[in-house]
């Protein structure tokens, strides 16, 4: 699926199989999640690209999740969608700096850390169902990307929005969050919900014996 004709066909076929606008999400073990995605350089017709973004948005909402990268629905292109408008409570929002992130599509995104500060929190991934693990990431990242209309942006994200755009952009490089996670923090969802669903992972670090310092 490297030339434009086959990508256009592949996306159209995927879209035609959508149910209520939603398509299946690839899970770890599928090679598409481990393959660096190709930059979007006009391989898709404008209308197909728009329809793909809508299906990605609906699939993300349905999951539900706060981000989805095109490889997660089997399309090896550097496209992702993000949106985090969930009401999560004040303490969680404050500790994780989880501020609202309105919907947007990221085309050909690239990010780099801004500053030295790193923060570690539990995160999960729609392609790794059933688990969560702690990942240390830059507190702030600079993101350069385009919109679906080719408008280039260059901006800095902080806190949870920075984590979301970094996680999704990593997918486009064939990287899944578990590659960067502290593996001793790995928790099944029901155990996480019962024991560790709190703003900071510090109690989990003490109980599961993993190190939050020096990451
Ligand atoms: Zn993910």
């Amino acid at each position: 699926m490297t030339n434009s004709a086959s990508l256009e066909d592949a996306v159209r076929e995927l879209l035609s199989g959508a149910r209520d606008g939603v398509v299946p999400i690839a899970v770890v073990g599928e090679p598409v999640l481990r393959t660096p995605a190709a930059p979007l350089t006009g391989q898709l017709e404008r209308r197909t690209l728009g329809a793909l973004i809508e299906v990605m948005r609906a699939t993300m909402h349905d999951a539900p999740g706060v981000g989805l990268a095109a490889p997660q629905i089997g399309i090896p292109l550097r496209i992702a969608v993000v949106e985090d408008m969930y009401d999560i409570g004040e303490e969680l929002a404050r500790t994780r700096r989880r501020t609202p992130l309105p919907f947007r599509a990221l085309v050909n995104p690239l990010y780099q850390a801004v500053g030295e500060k790193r923060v570690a929190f539990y995160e999960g991934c729609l392609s790794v169902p059933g688990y969560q693990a702690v990942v240390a990431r830059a507190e702030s990242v600079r993101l350069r990307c385009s919109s679906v209309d080719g408008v280039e942006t260059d901006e800095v994200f902080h806190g949870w929005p920075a984590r979301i755009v970094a996680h999704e952009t990593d997918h486009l490089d064939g990287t899944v969050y578990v590659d960067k996670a502290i593996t001793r923090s790995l928790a099944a969802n029901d155990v996480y919900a019962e024991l560790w669903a709190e703003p900071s992972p510090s109690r989990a670090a003490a109980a599961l014996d993993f190190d939050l310092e020096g990451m």
Side-chain angles (χ1 to χ4, degrees):
M1 237 200 303
T2 49
N3 65 52
S4 4
S6 58
L7 271 168
E8 172 75 21
D9 289 347
V11 171
R12 285 190 191 198
E13 189 182 334
L14 176 73
L15 298 178
S16 72
R19 289 173 156 248
D20 296 326
V22 173
V23 295
I25 296 176
V27 295
V28 279
E30 299 193 38
V32 68
L33 292 171
R34 292 315 199 164
T35 307
L40 183 70
T41 54
Q43 301 95 326
L44 301 182
E45 291 178 15
R46 181 63 182 80
R47 207 173 61 170
T48 306
L49 175 59
L52 173 63
I53 299 291
E54 280 312 305
V55 159
M56 289 176 69
R57 183 179 192 174
T59 302
M60 169 178 71
H61 286 166
D62 180 66
V66 295
L68 188 74
Q72 292 182 276
I73 55 169
I75 301 300
L77 286 169
R78 292 190 69 89
I79 303 170
V81 294
V82 297
E83 181 175 6
D84 183 11
M85 301 301 285
Y86 292 105
D87 189 0
I88 49 152
E90 196 185 322
E91 192 193 355
L92 198 62
R94 191 176 55 245
T95 306
R96 296 185 176 183
R97 295 188 70 190
R98 188 167 166 177
T99 51
L101 177 62
F103 175 79
R104 62 189 288 176
L106 312 178
V107 174
N108 299 336
L110 292 169
Y111 77 94
Q112 60 191 110
V114 173
E116 302 290 308
K117 187 171 182 193
R118 290 167 69 78
V119 286
F121 291 110
Y122 268 99
E123 66 180 66
C125 177
L126 299 175
S127 293
V128 191
Y131 294 92
Q132 313 226 6
V134 173
V135 185
R137 293 187 185 272
E139 158 86 351
S140 301
V141 301
R142 176 183 179 187
L143 183 82
R144 279 171 284 189
C145 72
S146 297
S147 71
V148 288
D149 297 312
V151 178
E152 294 188 8
T153 55
D154 181 347
E155 59 201 295
V156 175
F157 290 82
H158 304 282
W160 207 257
R163 178 170 295 265
I164 293 170
V165 300
H167 177 121
E168 299 311 328
T169 304
D170 284 349
H171 273 300
L172 306 179
D173 296 326
T175 297
V176 178
Y177 86 98
V178 289
D179 301 347
K180 298 182 167 183
I182 301 169
T183 48
R184 287 189 68 98
S185 72
L186 190 68
N189 275 347
D190 54 351
V191 176
Y192 174 82
E194 188 188 336
L195 299 180
W196 312 124
E198 55 197 25
S200 161
S202 49
R203 269 198 331 116
L208 302 177
D209 190 20
F210 60 87
D211 189 6
L212 287 173
E213 305 302 317
M215 288 165 307

